[in-house]
Amino acid sequence: MTPPRTSSPNSLKRRGFLGIAGAAGAGAVLLGTGAAPVASAAPGRVPGDPFQLGVASGDPLPDGVVLWTRLAPKPLDDDGGMPDRPVAVRWEIALDERFRKVVRRGVEHAVPAEAHTVHADVRGLRPHHEYYYRFRAGDAVSPVGRTRTAPAPGTSPTVDFAFASCANWEQGHFTAYRHMAEERPDVVFHLGDYLYEYAAGVNGKVRTHHGDEMNTLAEYRARHAQYKTDPDLRLLHATAPFVVTWDDHETDNNYADLSPENNDAGQGNDTTARFAARRRAAYQAYWEHMPLRRLRKPVDTALPLYRRLEYGATATFSVLDTRQYRTNQPYGDRWQVSGPDQWDPKATILGDEQHAWLERSLARSRSTWNVVPQQIYFANWDAVAGPDDGGYNDGWDGYRASRDRVLGYVEERRIDNFVVLTGDVHNNWTNDLRRDFERPETRLLGSEFVTTSITSGGDGSATHDPGQVYWDENPHTKYYSSRRGYVRCSVSKQQYTADYRVVDYVTRPGAPVRTDKSFVIETGVPGVQAV
């Protein structure tokens, strides 16, 4: 088992960087003495401290990365406390945290129509290299962020990453994010439910959401801002680049394309046109608040989120969107109700275009590992005793023809080292993947690692037993845990290691982290092995 990277030839000692990044919530970090001023139009004065939501980076390439911030001296106000005019924001990226070795700098204009957010697409960087970045608006200087580019094509370094899902503000503290930051991953994959749409007081009592259930652009912006006021989330964003994809709660629970969860007129869901307006607002706010490239800015109700990231010859990540293009769930989205509609060939969870794209991505891959970060439970989930298939109809069980198409492609094209990463279900699971889950003697095609939530569901419990029916009906399932946390992965040409990192409580802050279970997949040998 390869330990997580704690330092590199160009890295700052962890305590030093976390000390700097941890000061993010308290105000600006002073500029280093080695950087020359950036020539640009006068940025003008900005009120107060505009960097209260921190900094972030994302979607690393071998030669570049996206740098993000939002100017918001009053984060929960409709306008973030900013004047109704564009503001010039200078950025710089350096080899060292003191910015004595600045390698790139530039200017972006934060505009009111985009909530004064910045999405700087920096290029010309070195592959698989650690960098530090910051922003300046007027006289205000942002916290310092750390990021890392992807490895160069053809190279095979070990890649250390983590993935997480489901962070409900009202149900707990984001302690797990801080532990992820302390481990300094190369990249973090966030698999959805980054925030929750519900009104204040609906979901829990640990902390309280600001405002009503999100419906308008101003409400979605305020909720994103509230989540980014959390110091643990800000620290993680300032420590590692994110690759994000959404699930449902960033818009509306269990929605499917333009079909909402229900037809509540009070939430703008009573007609397709009204829900489309709600989705348009949600997608705009999501793009604004995530480290995504400008080319992904939504147009009307569409945001092109599925994409491919190559980490040299070590791993290719094909990131999916299982929410935007799906048909409506079968059987009214009822739990463990099965039937022929689950096999409807016209039903889809990805849409034809994304399905074809995924097949091309897998076919083009020259990496050892073919990893698919996505949102929703992929393996069969049968909680009904006997011959009834049961199923989780909001997951891939509700779209069995779609799943069979994916696994059929993996089987027929002999796609090696196929691994699915999943969130959504607020518990840890590990599954082997077969085309026919009812026949454990059939060929093993890959593995699925399912991360628990960051907070959703509260503290959870110490049990590792979901009930005998689960073990009886799902022989492909190898592990279960109901604690909160994330999954830490270390991937090399020889093996894939996954550590289930858990905290025993989130309803109060400060829980220590521990590894509950570890699994290894050996290259060329499908199936997980417990460590």
Side-chain angles (χ1 to χ4, degrees):
M1 184 170 65
T2 305
R5 180 182 293 109
T6 57
S7 62
S8 71
N10 295 287
S11 70
L12 176 68
K13 290 181 180 178
R14 186 187 68 174
R15 181 175 298 176
F17 174 71
L18 293 181
I20 292 172
V29 177
L30 293 178
L31 283 169
T33 57
V38 177
S40 70
R45 297 180 63 85
V46 293
D49 173 13
F51 295 110
Q52 294 188 42
L53 303 184
V55 300
S57 65
D59 280 7
L61 302 173
D63 69 338
V65 70
V66 178
L67 304 182
W68 175 94
T69 194
R70 178 187 172 188
L71 307 182
K74 297 180 180 179
L76 300 186
D77 286 6
D78 286 350
D79 58 5
M82 288 294 295
D84 187 20
R85 59 174 174 79
V87 175
V89 180
R90 292 174 285 178
W91 58 264
E92 55 186 351
I93 190 165
L95 295 173
D96 66 302
E97 78 283 3
R98 299 296 177 188
F99 291 82
R100 294 186 177 93
K101 299 177 181 178
V102 174
V103 295
R104 290 288 184 275
R105 50 167 59 97
V107 178
E108 298 285 323
H109 286 85
V111 299
E114 297 173 357
H116 287 99
T117 56
V118 173
H119 303 254
D121 191 352
V122 181
R123 300 299 176 98
L125 304 178
R126 293 164 56 184
H128 206 225
H129 206 76
E130 187 173 69
Y131 290 95
Y132 297 86
Y133 62 95
R134 62 187 175 188
F135 301 89
R136 173 181 277 177
D139 294 330
V141 184
S142 78
V144 174
R146 168 193 177 266
T147 192
R148 193 175 184 90
T149 51
T155 63
S156 301
T158 296
V159 177
D160 298 325
F161 67 92
F163 65 97
S165 180
C166 302
N168 191 319
W169 179 276
E170 295 202 329
Q171 293 183 347
H173 296 275
F174 295 166
T175 310
Y177 283 148
R178 179 164 293 270
H179 290 304
M180 292 171 70
E182 290 168 348
E183 293 173 354
R184 296 169 66 84
D186 292 339
V187 62
V188 171
F189 290 86
H190 202 289
L191 303 184
D193 297 345
Y194 183 94
L195 47 66
Y196 280 69
E197 81 277 26
Y198 300 123
V202 169
N203 265 186
K205 298 180 180 179
V206 178
R207 302 188 286 184
T208 303
H209 277 144
H210 171 80
D212 296 328
E213 180 162 337
M214 296 185 295
N215 186 22
T216 67
L217 178 57
E219 289 167 340
Y220 281 103
R221 283 172 170 171
R223 188 64 55 82
H224 275 280
Q226 182 181 23
Y227 273 61
K228 281 192 168 65
T229 63
D230 183 271
D232 296 333
L233 177 55
R234 286 203 314 275
L235 177 62
L236 181 57
H237 271 301
T239 303
F242 270 51
V243 175
V244 298
T245 188
W246 52 33
D247 193 22
D248 51 344
H249 288 290
E250 290 89 350
T251 301
D252 177 46
N253 181 53
N254 283 21
Y255 82 99
D257 191 9
L258 289 175
S259 297
E261 178 187 24
N262 56 55
N263 294 321
D264 182 359
Q267 296 304 326
N269 293 341
D270 56 330
T271 67
T272 299
R274 280 169 61 84
F275 183 69
R278 184 182 183 186
R279 191 177 107 163
R280 185 182 302 113
Y283 283 17
Q284 174 69 20
Y286 184 88
W287 175 81
E288 288 172 349
H289 289 84
M290 295 296 162
L292 292 165
R293 287 187 166 81
R294 182 159 292 280
L295 63 86
R296 301 200 178 277
K297 183 180 178 181
V299 177
D300 195 23
T301 62
L303 193 163
L305 200 56
Y306 62 88
R307 58 209 188 278
R308 166 191 173 100
L309 292 98
E310 294 184 351
Y311 268 62
T314 303
T316 291
F317 297 97
S318 302
V319 183
L320 300 186
D321 173 0
T322 62
R323 193 58 63 179
Q324 184 174 183
Y325 310 104
R326 66 162 68 192
T327 52
N328 216 347
Q329 297 94 336
Y331 303 110
D333 198 14
R334 284 176 290 168
W335 168 250
Q336 298 298 322
V337 176
S338 64
D341 288 357
Q342 291 179 327
W343 284 97
D344 183 353
K346 295 180 181 178
T348 177
I349 196 169
L350 297 181
D352 287 341
E353 183 177 323
Q354 187 178 187
H355 259 298
W357 169 86
L358 175 59
E359 291 170 351
R360 292 194 301 272
S361 182
L362 294 172
R364 287 172 48 199
S365 173
R366 297 298 179 264
S367 301
T368 299
W369 296 94
N370 295 289
V371 184
V372 180
Q374 55 97 48
Q375 300 78 10
I376 205 87
Y377 208 85
F378 187 82
N380 193 61
W381 192 353
D382 184 355
V384 181
D388 191 321
D389 288 338
Y392 177 35
N393 283 317
D394 190 50
W396 289 77
D397 282 340
Y399 306 85
R400 294 179 187 266
S402 287
R403 183 172 61 199
D404 186 66
R405 175 175 171 179
V406 173
L407 291 176
Y409 190 88
V410 171
E411 181 177 43
E412 292 157 12
R413 296 298 185 98
R414 298 279 175 173
I415 304 298
D416 292 329
N417 305 315
F418 179 70
V419 179
V420 175
L421 309 182
T422 297
D424 177 60
V425 294
H426 307 173
N427 290 297
N428 289 315
W429 298 84
T430 302
N431 299 307
D432 285 337
L433 301 178
R434 290 179 167 84
R435 192 168 182 181
D436 188 344
F437 290 98
E438 302 298 319
R439 297 173 58 201
E441 73 277 7
T442 55
R443 184 184 170 202
L444 193 56
L445 300 176
S447 301
E448 178 183 24
F449 295 117
V450 183
T451 183
T452 186
S453 63
I454 293 296
T455 62
S456 302
D459 290 337
S461 71
T463 183
H464 290 84
D465 185 5
Q468 191 57 46
V469 67
Y470 286 87
W471 302 123
D472 292 343
E473 299 297 323
N474 303 278
H476 51 277
T477 296
K478 307 302 177 183
Y479 165 72
Y480 164 85
S481 166
S482 68
R483 289 299 190 195
R484 309 283 78 87
Y486 56 96
V487 181
R488 179 180 68 189
C489 301
S490 185
V491 184
S492 69
K493 290 199 71 172
Q494 292 74 40
Q495 67 179 26
Y496 186 123
T497 301
D499 299 323
Y500 284 86
R501 304 282 281 164
V502 302
V503 294
D504 290 335
Y505 54 88
V506 295
T507 51
R508 61 188 193 277
V513 69
R514 59 185 171 82
T515 297
D516 191 65
K517 191 74 173 178
S518 295
F519 291 93
V520 167
I521 309 170
E522 301 293 342
T523 303
V525 183
V528 297
Q529 305 170 43
V531 177

